[in-house]
Amino acid sequence: MVKDYDILIVGGGMVGASLARAISGHGLRIGVVEAYAYHSDEQPSYDDRVLALSWGTHLILQSMGLWDGLAADAEPILDVHISDRGHFGFTRLNHQEEGVGALGYVVTARALGDALLNGLDELADIDLLCPATLDSLKLNESAVEVNLHTDGGRRAVSAKLLVAADGGDSQVRSLLCMPVKEKTYGQTAIIANVTAEQAHNGVAYERFTDTGPLALLPMTGGRSSLVWTTSDDQAPELMALDAAAFLARVQDRFGYRMGRLLKVGKRIAYPLRMRQAKEQVRPHVVLIGNASHTVHPVTGQGFNLGIRDVAVLADVLIDVASAQGDPGELANLQRYAEWRKQDQYRVVMITDTLARLFANPLTPLRMARNLGLLGLDMSPGLKHLVARQFMGLNGRLPRLARGVSIV
Ligand SMILES: Cc1cc2nc3c(=O)[nH]c(=O)nc-3n(C[C@H](O)[C@H](O)[C@H](O)COP(=O)(O)OP(=O)(O)OC[C@H]3O[C@@H](n4cnc5c(N)ncnc54)[C@H](O)[C@@H]3O)c2cc1C
């Protein structure tokens, strides 16, 4: 039986749209199912959050031919300062010491969305099935069969491989009863744009405080993006403060490294949790991005991890396509999962540990983490290793992450 698609991607957010673009042009028939209309302002993946993209993510986007469309909206991160409020621990990462043009870049999710979506509807090998959601799905020996709810009624489609990129609450994962490890932190991230008296000079600040980490990331236009992780109990009070009172609280936590904080924009709150799928592949199905692993935003790793899933899956799928193989065959998907295992494990472990360790006021832990920061600062070899992990340059890299386009 002829399948409608070789690859059906469920979820046209940052990760799903990235995959569609990465595998386009290689003879695969691709469908993208997205709950929101194409380029809708309401699509939650492309909201007002600000993302720190690692140097490695920038290389992947560049290899995909997307960086030029994003560069004007991207502010380079030249230095990262990490400190523990009220304690001695401190370390600093610098782009020149790491031998890269920037440690990363800061963009808005909206600008990333524009770069990913512009022209996606004109690619001949991609069908955008949106707005649409899943009604049911069935795996059989040679394919996956999906029933969709669309504006025009129900529609049945089949594919050799279904890629679940439908976010942390993945419906695909639930429909297939794929088990997931889940943890709540009792923490909420509040994000807002902030203008300070002094220029940010390309410095990203990560400051650990007794209620959780606070990051100020350099943005275009001289602004900085605040990501303040606080307890679920405290978040409603902070969200209700007027602008001046809120800025005073941020200033108290952050200090005066950038002088006085002058202005704050709209605040948005995100309750935080960690989710990790215990099973990522089945015959004809693979989970990627947040559907596979949702991590705490401390150190801004979520999308960076997701696009590395994309780069590896694209590598595997394009090789399978050129060998006329079956993209849904379990052996191919296991090759992908095996390749991704270490990087995913490391990022989940590091973000989870940092989120818990630096929110804990117990004195021995506080001492330990400050000694850790100091030790890191005094050990160039270790610091370089940590920097390479955060830049997305550790381990065996797929072609897109090495700056090589896949032909
Ligand atoms: C406060 C905060 C700050 C962050 N900062 C950073 C950062 O600095 N750097 C970084 O790398 N990451 C960061 N992240 C993480 C990043 O936002 C996520 O990793 C990223 O959004 C994951 O993308 P995704 O496409 O996998 O999932 P999502 O963004 O959740 O997208 C899922 C898509 O699937 C669609 N969908 C859902 N269900 C269905 C369905 N049943 N049918 C069809 N479509 C469906 C949705 O409409 C959506 O478009 C941050 C996250 C938060 C909360």
Side-chain angles (χ1 to χ4, degrees), residues 129 232 354:
L129 308 167
D232 287 346
L354 286 177

Side-chain angles (χ1 to χ4, degrees), residues 10-16 33-36 43-45 49-53 132-134 165-168 171 189 191 217 227 270 272 288-291 297 300-304:
V10 179
M14 293 176 206
V15 170
V33 179
E34 167 54 47
Y36 288 80
Q43 197 174 334
S45 197
R49 93 189 61 173
V50 167
L51 303 168
L53 304 183
T133 50
L134 298 190
D166 51 348
Q171 195 190 358
I191 64 149
L217 308 173
V227 184
Y270 297 86
L272 301 179
I288 63 170
N290 269 25
Q301 292 297 303
F303 174 66
N304 291 308

Side-chain angles (χ1 to χ4, degrees), residues 26-38:
H26 293 276
L28 293 162
R29 291 160 304 147
I30 304 158
V32 180
V33 179
E34 167 54 47
Y36 288 80
Y38 173 63

